[in-house]
Amino acid sequence: MQTPAPDTAAPSARALLLVNLGTPAAPTPRAVRRYLAQFLHDYRVVQLTRWLWCPLLHFVILPLRSPKVAHKYAEIWMEGGSPLAVHTAALARAVAARLPGWEVQHAMRYGEPALATVLATLRARGVQEVRVLPLYPQYSTTTTASVEDVLARAGAGLQLALRRDYHTDPGWVAAIADSIRAHWQQHGRGERLLLSFHGIPQRLVNQGDPYAAQCEASTAAIAQALGLARDEVLLTFQSRFGREAWLQPYTQATLEALARSGVRTLDIACPGFAVDCLETLEEIAMQNAEAFRAAGGQALRYIPCLNASPAHADVIAALAQAEEGWQ
């Protein structure tokens, strides 16, 4: 058997690293528990005293939540893995095709491929400059700042530049608006349009987190691109965890109130998510759709994320090559 020739191609001097949140490796309680343990150990995510939080996490939350969350993942799992993993990898490939001369990779903040490992691989390959683009259009201390933490720990020897957000980037706004228009052209327009963003604790916004303001700015820009008045588009927040107050209005409570008020068809998109994942496919398109019908609605019509669409790849490639917006 002939031994394959080693890869002698010269490494690119510049790389683009797309970073997403992460996902379990399998839709099993064990894999979900391992993923959630890493995710919920991050102080950026849960800011409780460790001596209080760690016993609660390992002896109460993980044993109870892991089997339930694993079941949710099993309902949306794809042949190549979780939707978030499949779509993120596909997006990286699509962007790479638009950036000749660049090395384009993807990494996860939690799970695999681990961000620190990918940075080490790029450094070992001789890559000099790395532009890091977290796939979070809106900045939050719970997401992008956590990526910054890893860059500070594991980025030695690399010339790193970070894009902190792109919440009103004209190309991104146009791509979101076009995806909504395409949905309307295919299915007709619902009675209301709702944009649902992942929530964060209200406490963090009170402390200066710009996330809520950026979600509002994104919503206003998308409404304008659609030719709608701002009050024609509803802005809500989903995925609340724990008992403290999170950003409001809450998505499920809002769509249930709309159904009770007589709204029968509701279009919903999640522009804060770059690719489809558990929170969009299971929480919105399945769980919230059922809640909408139970409250008297007929159809909660979910508009998919941009995923690895040509328009999304164009947006990301343009952001990578922009001279401004990196720090």
Side-chain angles (χ1 to χ4, degrees):
M1 182 175 179
Q2 189 175 15
T3 302
D7 181 7
T8 57
S12 301
R14 174 181 286 185
L16 173 66
L17 180 53
L18 306 180
V19 184
N20 215 332
L21 188 77
T23 176
T28 63
R30 183 175 181 179
V32 168
R33 181 167 183 158
R34 183 163 54 247
Y35 168 73
L36 288 179
Q38 184 184 9
F39 174 53
L40 296 175
H41 259 294
D42 189 347
Y43 190 74
R44 295 284 190 182
V45 177
V46 180
Q47 298 180 351
L48 293 177
T49 305
R50 298 295 95 174
W51 67 263
L52 172 65
W53 175 239
C54 288
L56 179 63
L57 174 63
H58 287 282
F59 295 106
V60 179
I61 294 175
L62 291 178
L64 292 176
R65 285 182 59 85
S66 297
K68 297 177 182 178
V69 175
H71 176 72
K72 294 177 183 291
Y73 271 106
E75 292 187 299
I76 63 166
W77 207 258
M78 302 174 68
E79 183 177 349
S82 80
L84 182 141
V86 171
H87 293 311
T88 301
L91 177 60
R93 291 193 297 270
V95 173
R98 289 158 170 79
L99 293 177
W102 291 58
E103 181 163 346
V104 180
Q105 299 286 345
H106 74 280
M108 302 298 178
R109 175 59 186 88
Y110 315 101
E112 301 295 335
L115 175 54
T117 301
V118 176
L119 289 170
T121 300
L122 291 172
R123 182 166 51 242
R125 283 180 49 78
V127 175
Q128 299 172 357
E129 179 184 344
V130 181
R131 290 193 164 187
V132 181
L133 178 61
L135 292 173
Y136 313 126
Q138 298 78 26
Y139 178 92
S140 174
T141 55
T142 62
T143 52
T144 307
S146 185
V147 171
E148 293 180 277
D149 293 341
V150 178
L151 299 182
R153 295 194 302 264
L158 294 169
Q159 300 174 26
L160 296 174
L162 178 77
R163 178 91 187 202
R164 301 186 81 205
D165 66 82
Y166 50 99
H167 68 285
T168 55
D169 173 72
W172 175 78
V173 170
I176 295 290
D178 286 346
S179 73
I180 295 172
R181 285 195 200 91
H183 173 86
W184 286 344
Q185 290 171 359
Q186 183 175 358
H187 303 285
R189 184 170 168 180
E191 296 169 59
R192 298 300 303 269
L193 173 63
L194 187 153
L195 302 184
S196 179
F197 295 80
H198 200 294
I200 64 172
Q202 179 65 48
R203 163 180 49 84
L204 298 180
V205 175
N206 296 343
Q207 294 171 355
D209 192 306
Y211 180 73
Q214 291 195 1
C215 290
E216 168 57 38
S218 295
T219 300
I222 293 166
Q224 183 177 25
L226 288 169
L228 301 176
R230 172 62 187 86
D231 60 7
E232 293 182 86
V233 181
L234 298 167
L235 164 62
T236 63
F237 298 94
Q238 65 181 87
S239 309
R240 180 186 178 192
F241 176 78
R243 295 184 178 181
E244 71 173 310
W246 279 37
L247 292 177
Q248 297 186 48
Y250 299 135
T251 296
Q252 183 167 328
T254 299
L255 60 86
E256 288 173 337
L258 289 169
R260 289 192 294 267
S261 73
V263 173
R264 293 295 172 260
T265 58
L266 178 63
D267 296 327
I268 184 168
C270 300
F273 297 88
V275 302
D276 278 310
C277 55
L278 186 72
E279 288 80 2
T280 63
L281 298 176
E282 193 281 331
E283 182 181 356
I284 296 295
M286 296 172 66
Q287 179 183 326
N288 282 189
E290 181 179 352
F292 182 68
R293 291 191 299 269
Q298 292 180 354
L300 180 69
R301 307 187 309 182
Y302 172 62
I303 302 169
C305 293
L306 295 177
N307 293 320
S309 64
H312 198 192
D314 289 343
V315 167
I316 299 301
L319 289 172
Q321 297 175 92
E323 293 302 321
E324 297 181 353
W326 296 92
Q327 52 184 276

